Amino acid sequence: MLDKPLVRRHSLDDDISAILVDEATIRQRVLALGEAISAAYAGQDLVLVSVLKGSIIFMADLVRAITVPHEIDFMATSSYGAATNSSGVVRILKDLNVSIQGRNILVVEDIIDSGHTLSYLLRLLQERQPASLRIVTLLDKPERRAVHIDVDWVGFAIPNEFVVGYGLDYNELYRNLPYIGVLRPSVYGGE
Ligand code: PRP
């Protein structure tokens, strides 16, 4: 028997210093992105590729905001290095199930930070000769960009804060928060 129950004493919200993008604002923006994407791909074949795990919540809401027929598939990547910093080295943990040759591919990301993950992924996908390859990201941190990426649709450009929620994690937690929040530095050993 354990002395103490394995239950957190406080709520996840207590670790958030500020809400950067609230639920209603996310909902509105995702609907607008869905509309724009639907218009761009009207009458065309389309495959949405979600980059796990961060993009799952955005992906789930976005596909329901897209009115044109499309397929979905998933890839998983992992960057080596410190938990709060992208190192530039990317490995593929899960590849696509389908061939993308000759198809219109829309990569769905939760956040672009240094750009290393997408840069690597785009090179990899481009080699498979899709008809087109475009990107939608919910969040963009332009200040942090180390490699140039042409992003087709951005939900929100955000400052260089450590954000979690709506799919984004710290140590695999906080993904279930319905908003995008700034994590208190004390949680990850910052100032
Ligand atoms: C995050 C995010 C992007 C990447 C962005 O993924 O989902 O894929 O980092 O950073 P970059 O632009 O500096 O490469 P992470 O590796 O944290 O995995 P997760 O989505 O499973 O949380």
Side-chain angles (χ1 to χ4, degrees), residues 34-152:
E35 233 176 83
I37 290 166
S38 302
Y41 291 98
Q44 296 179 49
D45 165 62
L46 174 61
V47 183
L48 263 64
V49 171
S50 159
V51 186
L52 295 171
K53 305 173 194 171
S55 70
I56 59 154
I57 312 283
F58 176 43
M59 178 77 165
D61 285 343
L62 183 65
V63 294
R64 285 176 289 181
I66 295 176
T67 51
V68 297
H70 61 275
E71 294 177 26
I72 62 171
D73 204 347
F74 297 88
M75 284 189 89
T77 61
S78 168
S79 49
Y80 292 102
T84 59
N85 264 302
S86 301
S87 62
V89 185
V90 177
R91 68 188 161 133
I92 301 292
L93 302 178
K94 185 219 171 292
D95 207 335
L96 295 172
N97 290 350
V98 297
S99 160
I100 61 167
Q101 189 169 19
R103 308 197 69 182
N104 295 312
I105 303 304
L106 179 60
V107 175
V108 180
E109 262 288 21
D110 54 332
I111 188 164
I112 306 176
D113 194 335
S114 69
H116 286 304
T117 304
L118 263 187
S119 170
Y120 177 84
L121 213 58
L122 291 175
R123 267 200 313 277
L124 183 93
L125 295 177
Q126 199 66 63
E127 280 169 13
R128 301 179 186 180
Q129 301 175 313
S132 68
L133 185 55
R134 295 207 254 186
I135 300 161
V136 57
T137 186
L138 179 71
L139 303 175
D140 184 16
K141 270 189 188 174
E143 277 173 62
R144 294 263 308 159
R145 196 75 87 259
V147 286
H148 176 77
I149 306 265
D150 286 317
V151 188
D152 298 276

Side-chain angles (χ1 to χ4, degrees), residues 160-179:
N160 186 19
E161 304 269 15
F162 196 115
V163 289
V164 293
Y166 199 73
L168 287 92
D169 76 309
Y170 169 63
N171 267 350
E172 296 302 329
L173 296 178
Y174 306 95
R175 295 192 197 272
N176 56 321
L177 290 177
Y179 54 81

